[in-house]
PDB file of all heavy atoms in Angstrom:
ATOM      1  N   TYR Q 154       7.230 -19.792  17.437  1.00 94.00           N
ATOM      2  CA  TYR Q 154       7.201 -21.241  17.561  1.00 94.00           C
ATOM      3  C   TYR Q 154       6.552 -21.858  16.334  1.00 94.00           C
ATOM      4  O   TYR Q 154       5.525 -21.380  15.837  1.00 94.00           O
ATOM      5  CB  TYR Q 154       6.424 -21.646  18.817  1.00 94.00           C
ATOM      6  CG  TYR Q 154       6.183 -23.138  18.927  1.00 94.00           C
ATOM      7  CD1 TYR Q 154       7.223 -23.995  19.278  1.00 94.00           C
ATOM      8  CD2 TYR Q 154       4.935 -23.679  18.669  1.00 94.00           C
ATOM      9  CE1 TYR Q 154       7.016 -25.363  19.365  1.00 94.00           C
ATOM     10  CE2 TYR Q 154       4.715 -25.052  18.756  1.00 94.00           C
ATOM     11  CZ  TYR Q 154       5.760 -25.893  19.106  1.00 94.00           C
ATOM     12  OH  TYR Q 154       5.554 -27.243  19.191  1.00 94.00           O
ATOM     13  N   PHE Q 155       7.174 -22.932  15.812  1.00 95.00           N
ATOM     14  CA  PHE Q 155       6.597 -23.788  14.783  1.00 95.00           C
ATOM     15  C   PHE Q 155       6.659 -25.212  15.300  1.00 95.00           C
ATOM     16  O   PHE Q 155       7.702 -25.651  15.798  1.00 95.00           O
ATOM     17  CB  PHE Q 155       7.394 -23.695  13.477  1.00 95.00           C
ATOM     18  CG  PHE Q 155       7.338 -22.356  12.803  1.00 95.00           C
ATOM     19  CD1 PHE Q 155       8.314 -21.400  13.057  1.00 95.00           C
ATOM     20  CD2 PHE Q 155       6.334 -22.054  11.905  1.00 95.00           C
ATOM     21  CE1 PHE Q 155       8.288 -20.166  12.432  1.00 95.00           C
ATOM     22  CE2 PHE Q 155       6.289 -20.822  11.270  1.00 95.00           C
ATOM     23  CZ  PHE Q 155       7.266 -19.877  11.531  1.00 95.00           C
ATOM     24  N   GLY Q 156       5.569 -25.950  15.188  1.00 94.00           N
ATOM     25  CA  GLY Q 156       5.554 -27.316  15.675  1.00 94.00           C
ATOM     26  C   GLY Q 156       4.504 -28.157  14.977  1.00 94.00           C
ATOM     27  O   GLY Q 156       3.768 -27.678  14.104  1.00 94.00           O
ATOM     28  N   PRO Q 157       4.394 -29.422  15.377  1.00 95.00           N
ATOM     29  CA  PRO Q 157       3.401 -30.316  14.760  1.00 95.00           C
ATOM     30  C   PRO Q 157       1.970 -29.803  14.888  1.00 95.00           C
ATOM     31  O   PRO Q 157       1.123 -30.100  14.045  1.00 95.00           O
ATOM     32  CB  PRO Q 157       3.594 -31.629  15.529  1.00 95.00           C
ATOM     33  CG  PRO Q 157       4.973 -31.551  16.099  1.00 95.00           C
ATOM     34  CD  PRO Q 157       5.220 -30.113  16.391  1.00 95.00           C
ATOM     35  N   GLU Q 158       1.709 -29.058  15.969  1.00 95.00           N
ATOM     36  CA  GLU Q 158       0.341 -28.578  16.204  1.00 95.00           C
ATOM     37  C   GLU Q 158       0.057 -27.257  15.508  1.00 95.00           C
ATOM     38  O   GLU Q 158      -0.994 -26.644  15.716  1.00 95.00           O
ATOM     39  CB  GLU Q 158       0.079 -28.449  17.705  1.00 95.00           C
ATOM     40  CG  GLU Q 158       0.846 -27.357  18.418  1.00 95.00           C
ATOM     41  CD  GLU Q 158       2.216 -27.805  18.901  1.00 95.00           C
ATOM     42  OE1 GLU Q 158       2.869 -28.618  18.221  1.00 95.00           O
ATOM     43  OE2 GLU Q 158       2.653 -27.312  19.953  1.00 95.00           O
ATOM     44  N   THR Q 159       0.993 -26.791  14.651  1.00 96.00           N
ATOM     45  CA  THR Q 159       0.779 -25.520  13.955  1.00 96.00           C
ATOM     46  C   THR Q 159       0.821 -25.709  12.437  1.00 96.00           C
ATOM     47  O   THR Q 159       1.755 -25.247  11.770  1.00 96.00           O
ATOM     48  CB  THR Q 159       1.839 -24.477  14.354  1.00 96.00           C
ATOM     49  OG1 THR Q 159       3.154 -24.991  14.028  1.00 96.00           O
ATOM     50  CG2 THR Q 159       1.778 -24.167  15.835  1.00 96.00           C
ATOM     51  N   PRO Q 160      -0.163 -26.393  11.835  1.00 97.00           N
ATOM     52  CA  PRO Q 160      -0.198 -26.464  10.367  1.00 97.00           C
ATOM     53  C   PRO Q 160      -0.317 -25.063   9.780  1.00 97.00           C
ATOM     54  O   PRO Q 160      -1.064 -24.225  10.279  1.00 97.00           O
ATOM     55  CB  PRO Q 160      -1.443 -27.313  10.079  1.00 97.00           C
ATOM     56  CG  PRO Q 160      -2.288 -27.190  11.302  1.00 97.00           C
ATOM     57  CD  PRO Q 160      -1.338 -27.042  12.446  1.00 97.00           C
ATOM     58  N   GLN Q 183      -3.357 -22.548  11.782  1.00 97.00           N
ATOM     59  CA  GLN Q 183      -2.712 -21.933  12.948  1.00 97.00           C
ATOM     60  C   GLN Q 183      -1.792 -20.782  12.585  1.00 97.00           C
ATOM     61  O   GLN Q 183      -1.554 -19.897  13.403  1.00 97.00           O
ATOM     62  CB  GLN Q 183      -1.929 -22.998  13.715  1.00 97.00           C
ATOM     63  CG  GLN Q 183      -2.798 -24.080  14.319  1.00 97.00           C
ATOM     64  CD  GLN Q 183      -3.841 -23.511  15.274  1.00 97.00           C
ATOM     65  OE1 GLN Q 183      -3.542 -22.639  16.090  1.00 97.00           O
ATOM     66  NE2 GLN Q 183      -5.076 -23.989  15.168  1.00 97.00           N
ATOM     67  N   PRO Q 215      -3.429 -16.091  19.254  1.00 95.00           N
ATOM     68  CA  PRO Q 215      -2.256 -16.966  19.375  1.00 95.00           C
ATOM     69  C   PRO Q 215      -2.463 -18.297  18.663  1.00 95.00           C
ATOM     70  O   PRO Q 215      -3.565 -18.846  18.654  1.00 95.00           O
ATOM     71  CB  PRO Q 215      -2.118 -17.177  20.893  1.00 95.00           C
ATOM     72  CG  PRO Q 215      -2.885 -16.058  21.513  1.00 95.00           C
ATOM     73  CD  PRO Q 215      -4.008 -15.755  20.574  1.00 95.00           C
ATOM     74  N   PRO Q 216      -1.403 -18.849  18.050  1.00 96.00           N
ATOM     75  CA  PRO Q 216      -1.489 -20.181  17.455  1.00 96.00           C
ATOM     76  C   PRO Q 216      -1.497 -21.262  18.520  1.00 96.00           C
ATOM     77  O   PRO Q 216      -1.224 -20.994  19.696  1.00 96.00           O
ATOM     78  CB  PRO Q 216      -0.222 -20.264  16.599  1.00 96.00           C
ATOM     79  CG  PRO Q 216       0.753 -19.366  17.297  1.00 96.00           C
ATOM     80  CD  PRO Q 216      -0.078 -18.244  17.875  1.00 96.00           C
ATOM     81  N   ALA Q 217      -1.809 -22.468  18.119  1.00 91.00           N
ATOM     82  CA  ALA Q 217      -1.817 -23.591  19.059  1.00 91.00           C
ATOM     83  C   ALA Q 217      -0.399 -23.833  19.569  1.00 91.00           C
ATOM     84  O   ALA Q 217       0.580 -23.672  18.853  1.00 91.00           O
ATOM     85  CB  ALA Q 217      -2.347 -24.843  18.377  1.00 91.00           C
ATOM     86  N   TYR Q 218      -0.309 -24.233  20.824  1.00 90.00           N
ATOM     87  CA  TYR Q 218       0.999 -24.496  21.419  1.00 90.00           C
ATOM     88  C   TYR Q 218       0.826 -25.499  22.548  1.00 90.00           C
ATOM     89  O   TYR Q 218       0.099 -25.244  23.507  1.00 90.00           O
ATOM     90  CB  TYR Q 218       1.622 -23.203  21.944  1.00 90.00           C
ATOM     91  CG  TYR Q 218       2.940 -23.396  22.669  1.00 90.00           C
ATOM     92  CD1 TYR Q 218       4.048 -23.877  21.995  1.00 90.00           C
ATOM     93  CD2 TYR Q 218       3.063 -23.091  24.022  1.00 90.00           C
ATOM     94  CE1 TYR Q 218       5.253 -24.046  22.647  1.00 90.00           C
ATOM     95  CE2 TYR Q 218       4.269 -23.246  24.679  1.00 90.00           C
ATOM     96  CZ  TYR Q 218       5.372 -23.725  23.983  1.00 90.00           C
ATOM     97  OH  TYR Q 218       6.564 -23.895  24.635  1.00 90.00           O
ATOM     98  N   ASN Q 219       1.466 -26.649  22.423  1.00 80.00           N
ATOM     99  CA  ASN Q 219       1.416 -27.652  23.481  1.00 80.00           C
ATOM    100  C   ASN Q 219       2.369 -27.276  24.602  1.00 80.00           C
ATOM    101  O   ASN Q 219       3.403 -26.655  24.376  1.00 80.00           O
ATOM    102  CB  ASN Q 219       1.792 -29.035  22.935  1.00 80.00           C
ATOM    103  CG  ASN Q 219       0.729 -29.585  22.003  1.00 80.00           C
ATOM    104  OD1 ASN Q 219      -0.439 -29.169  22.056  1.00 80.00           O
ATOM    105  ND2 ASN Q 219       1.111 -30.504  21.138  1.00 80.00           N
ATOM    106  N   SER Q 220       2.029 -27.666  25.806  1.00 58.00           N
ATOM    107  CA  SER Q 220       2.881 -27.369  26.957  1.00 58.00           C
ATOM    108  C   SER Q 220       4.185 -28.142  26.845  1.00 58.00           C
ATOM    109  O   SER Q 220       4.258 -29.160  26.165  1.00 58.00           O
ATOM    110  CB  SER Q 220       2.162 -27.756  28.256  1.00 58.00           C
ATOM    111  OG  SER Q 220       1.913 -29.152  28.266  1.00 58.00           O
ATOM    112  N   PRO Q 221       5.238 -27.694  27.498  1.00 54.00           N
ATOM    113  CA  PRO Q 221       6.538 -28.375  27.427  1.00 54.00           C
ATOM    114  C   PRO Q 221       6.499 -29.837  27.830  1.00 54.00           C
ATOM    115  O   PRO Q 221       7.374 -30.595  27.461  1.00 54.00           O
ATOM    116  CB  PRO Q 221       7.407 -27.559  28.394  1.00 54.00           C
ATOM    117  CG  PRO Q 221       6.773 -26.210  28.426  1.00 54.00           C
ATOM    118  CD  PRO Q 221       5.304 -26.460  28.286  1.00 54.00           C
ATOM    119  N   THR Q 222       5.480 -30.254  28.588  1.00 47.00           N
ATOM    120  CA  THR Q 222       5.420 -31.646  29.014  1.00 47.00           C
ATOM    121  C   THR Q 222       4.950 -32.563  27.896  1.00 47.00           C
ATOM    122  O   THR Q 222       5.103 -33.774  27.979  1.00 47.00           O
ATOM    123  CB  THR Q 222       4.449 -31.798  30.202  1.00 47.00           C
ATOM    124  OG1 THR Q 222       3.155 -31.289  29.813  1.00 47.00           O
ATOM    125  CG2 THR Q 222       4.954 -31.029  31.392  1.00 47.00           C
ATOM    126  N   THR Q 223       4.377 -31.976  26.824  1.00 44.00           N
ATOM    127  CA  THR Q 223       3.847 -32.806  25.743  1.00 44.00           C
ATOM    128  C   THR Q 223       4.532 -32.560  24.420  1.00 44.00           C
ATOM    129  O   THR Q 223       4.127 -33.091  23.416  1.00 44.00           O
ATOM    130  CB  THR Q 223       2.335 -32.555  25.573  1.00 44.00           C
ATOM    131  OG1 THR Q 223       2.142 -31.162  25.294  1.00 44.00           O
ATOM    132  CG2 THR Q 223       1.572 -32.948  26.801  1.00 44.00           C
ATOM    133  N   THR Q 224       5.550 -31.720  24.395  1.00 44.00           N
ATOM    134  CA  THR Q 224       6.274 -31.487  23.152  1.00 44.00           C
ATOM    135  C   THR Q 224       7.769 -31.438  23.433  1.00 44.00           C
ATOM    136  O   THR Q 224       8.189 -31.028  24.497  1.00 44.00           O
ATOM    137  CB  THR Q 224       5.823 -30.173  22.484  1.00 44.00           C
ATOM    138  OG1 THR Q 224       6.577 -30.011  21.274  1.00 44.00           O
ATOM    139  CG2 THR Q 224       6.063 -28.969  23.365  1.00 44.00           C
ATOM    140  N   THR Q 225       8.561 -31.867  22.451  1.00 44.00           N
ATOM    141  CA  THR Q 225      10.011 -31.885  22.629  1.00 44.00           C
ATOM    142  C   THR Q 225      10.659 -30.592  22.170  1.00 44.00           C
ATOM    143  O   THR Q 225      11.849 -30.405  22.331  1.00 44.00           O
ATOM    144  CB  THR Q 225      10.618 -33.049  21.823  1.00 44.00           C
ATOM    145  OG1 THR Q 225      10.261 -32.881  20.440  1.00 44.00           O
ATOM    146  CG2 THR Q 225      10.108 -34.379  22.332  1.00 44.00           C
ATOM    147  N   ALA Q 226       9.879 -29.704  21.547  1.00 45.00           N
ATOM    148  CA  ALA Q 226      10.446 -28.452  21.060  1.00 45.00           C
ATOM    149  C   ALA Q 226       9.840 -27.288  21.817  1.00 45.00           C
ATOM    150  O   ALA Q 226       8.712 -26.918  21.601  1.00 45.00           O
ATOM    151  CB  ALA Q 226      10.184 -28.302  19.564  1.00 45.00           C
ATOM    152  N   THR Q 227      10.578 -26.754  22.750  1.00 49.00           N
ATOM    153  CA  THR Q 227      10.089 -25.610  23.513  1.00 49.00           C
ATOM    154  C   THR Q 227      11.019 -24.436  23.277  1.00 49.00           C
ATOM    155  O   THR Q 227      12.192 -24.602  22.952  1.00 49.00           O
ATOM    156  CB  THR Q 227      10.034 -25.941  25.010  1.00 49.00           C
ATOM    157  OG1 THR Q 227      11.349 -26.297  25.446  1.00 49.00           O
ATOM    158  CG2 THR Q 227       9.083 -27.082  25.271  1.00 49.00           C
ATOM    159  N   VAL Q 228      10.512 -23.262  23.452  1.00 63.00           N
ATOM    160  CA  VAL Q 228      11.268 -22.057  23.170  1.00 63.00           C
ATOM    161  C   VAL Q 228      11.470 -21.277  24.450  1.00 63.00           C
ATOM    162  O   VAL Q 228      10.517 -21.016  25.179  1.00 63.00           O
ATOM    163  CB  VAL Q 228      10.539 -21.186  22.129  1.00 63.00           C
ATOM    164  CG1 VAL Q 228      11.391 -19.994  21.746  1.00 63.00           C
ATOM    165  CG2 VAL Q 228      10.199 -22.012  20.889  1.00 63.00           C
ATOM    166  N   TYR Q 231       9.321 -18.058  25.499  1.00 87.00           N
ATOM    167  CA  TYR Q 231       8.228 -17.931  24.529  1.00 87.00           C
ATOM    168  C   TYR Q 231       6.918 -17.710  25.268  1.00 87.00           C
ATOM    169  O   TYR Q 231       6.528 -18.489  26.127  1.00 87.00           O
ATOM    170  CB  TYR Q 231       8.129 -19.193  23.666  1.00 87.00           C
ATOM    171  CG  TYR Q 231       6.913 -19.224  22.766  1.00 87.00           C
ATOM    172  CD1 TYR Q 231       6.769 -18.291  21.742  1.00 87.00           C
ATOM    173  CD2 TYR Q 231       5.913 -20.178  22.942  1.00 87.00           C
ATOM    174  CE1 TYR Q 231       5.664 -18.313  20.912  1.00 87.00           C
ATOM    175  CE2 TYR Q 231       4.807 -20.206  22.115  1.00 87.00           C
ATOM    176  CZ  TYR Q 231       4.688 -19.269  21.094  1.00 87.00           C
ATOM    177  OH  TYR Q 231       3.583 -19.302  20.279  1.00 87.00           O
ATOM    178  N   ASP Q 232       6.230 -16.624  24.906  1.00 89.00           N
ATOM    179  CA  ASP Q 232       4.946 -16.288  25.509  1.00 89.00           C
ATOM    180  C   ASP Q 232       3.867 -16.464  24.448  1.00 89.00           C
ATOM    181  O   ASP Q 232       3.668 -15.598  23.589  1.00 89.00           O
ATOM    182  CB  ASP Q 232       4.963 -14.844  26.031  1.00 89.00           C
ATOM    183  CG  ASP Q 232       3.689 -14.480  26.780  1.00 89.00           C
ATOM    184  OD1 ASP Q 232       2.764 -15.318  26.832  1.00 89.00           O
ATOM    185  OD2 ASP Q 232       3.614 -13.353  27.313  1.00 89.00           O
ATOM    186  N   ASN Q 233       3.170 -17.587  24.490  1.00 91.00           N
ATOM    187  CA  ASN Q 233       2.171 -17.891  23.470  1.00 91.00           C
ATOM    188  C   ASN Q 233       1.043 -16.866  23.449  1.00 91.00           C
ATOM    189  O   ASN Q 233       0.484 -16.565  22.386  1.00 91.00           O
ATOM    190  CB  ASN Q 233       1.600 -19.296  23.704  1.00 91.00           C
ATOM    191  CG  ASN Q 233       0.533 -19.664  22.692  1.00 91.00           C
ATOM    192  OD1 ASN Q 233      -0.650 -19.732  23.014  1.00 91.00           O
ATOM    193  ND2 ASN Q 233       0.949 -19.911  21.464  1.00 91.00           N
ATOM    194  N   GLY Q 415      15.483 -28.593  26.946  1.00 43.00           N
ATOM    195  CA  GLY Q 415      14.182 -29.054  26.477  1.00 43.00           C
ATOM    196  C   GLY Q 415      14.140 -29.308  24.993  1.00 43.00           C
ATOM    197  O   GLY Q 415      13.112 -29.655  24.451  1.00 43.00           O
ATOM    198  N   TYR Q 434       0.431 -35.748   6.365  1.00 97.00           N
ATOM    199  CA  TYR Q 434       0.965 -34.709   7.240  1.00 97.00           C
ATOM    200  C   TYR Q 434       1.788 -35.329   8.367  1.00 97.00           C
ATOM    201  O   TYR Q 434       2.949 -34.968   8.589  1.00 97.00           O
ATOM    202  CB  TYR Q 434      -0.199 -33.884   7.802  1.00 97.00           C
ATOM    203  CG  TYR Q 434       0.195 -32.767   8.744  1.00 97.00           C
ATOM    204  CD1 TYR Q 434       0.495 -31.502   8.263  1.00 97.00           C
ATOM    205  CD2 TYR Q 434       0.254 -32.970  10.125  1.00 97.00           C
ATOM    206  CE1 TYR Q 434       0.851 -30.465   9.115  1.00 97.00           C
ATOM    207  CE2 TYR Q 434       0.603 -31.937  10.991  1.00 97.00           C
ATOM    208  CZ  TYR Q 434       0.900 -30.689  10.479  1.00 97.00           C
ATOM    209  OH  TYR Q 434       1.245 -29.672  11.334  1.00 97.00           O
ATOM    210  N   HIS Q 435       1.206 -36.270   9.086  1.00 96.00           N
ATOM    211  CA  HIS Q 435       1.901 -36.876  10.231  1.00 96.00           C
ATOM    212  C   HIS Q 435       3.042 -37.785   9.777  1.00 96.00           C
ATOM    213  O   HIS Q 435       4.056 -37.904  10.482  1.00 96.00           O
ATOM    214  CB  HIS Q 435       0.902 -37.650  11.086  1.00 96.00           C
ATOM    215  CG  HIS Q 435      -0.087 -36.766  11.780  1.00 96.00           C
ATOM    216  ND1 HIS Q 435       0.276 -35.860  12.743  1.00 96.00           N
ATOM    217  CD2 HIS Q 435      -1.439 -36.631  11.629  1.00 96.00           C
ATOM    218  CE1 HIS Q 435      -0.787 -35.208  13.181  1.00 96.00           C
ATOM    219  NE2 HIS Q 435      -1.836 -35.648  12.520  1.00 96.00           N
ATOM    220  N   LEU Q 438       5.979 -35.497   9.079  1.00 96.00           N
ATOM    221  CA  LEU Q 438       6.530 -34.994  10.335  1.00 96.00           C
ATOM    222  C   LEU Q 438       7.445 -36.019  10.991  1.00 96.00           C
ATOM    223  O   LEU Q 438       8.510 -35.674  11.518  1.00 96.00           O
ATOM    224  CB  LEU Q 438       5.401 -34.612  11.295  1.00 96.00           C
ATOM    225  CG  LEU Q 438       4.722 -33.255  11.106  1.00 96.00           C
ATOM    226  CD1 LEU Q 438       3.544 -33.118  12.058  1.00 96.00           C
ATOM    227  CD2 LEU Q 438       5.712 -32.105  11.340  1.00 96.00           C
ATOM    228  N   SER Q 444      10.203 -29.245  11.415  1.00 95.00           N
ATOM    229  CA  SER Q 444       9.534 -28.701  12.594  1.00 95.00           C
ATOM    230  C   SER Q 444       8.033 -28.622  12.389  1.00 95.00           C
ATOM    231  O   SER Q 444       7.245 -28.870  13.308  1.00 95.00           O
ATOM    232  CB  SER Q 444      10.071 -27.297  12.911  1.00 95.00           C
ATOM    233  OG  SER Q 444      11.463 -27.283  12.971  1.00 95.00           O
ATOM    234  N   ALA Q 463      -6.264 -31.705  12.858  1.00 95.00           N
ATOM    235  CA  ALA Q 463      -6.528 -31.531  14.291  1.00 95.00           C
ATOM    236  C   ALA Q 463      -7.258 -32.726  14.883  1.00 95.00           C
ATOM    237  O   ALA Q 463      -6.985 -33.132  16.020  1.00 95.00           O
ATOM    238  CB  ALA Q 463      -7.338 -30.253  14.512  1.00 95.00           C
TER     239      ALA Q 463
END
Side-chain angles (χ1 to χ4, degrees):
Y154 172 74
F155 294 93
E158 68 273 35
T159 59
Q183 295 302 316
Y218 176 64
N219 291 338
S220 62
T222 57
T223 58
T224 180
T225 58
T227 59
V228 185
Y231 172 65
D232 185 356
N233 179 251
Y434 179 89
H435 292 295
L438 279 174
S444 309

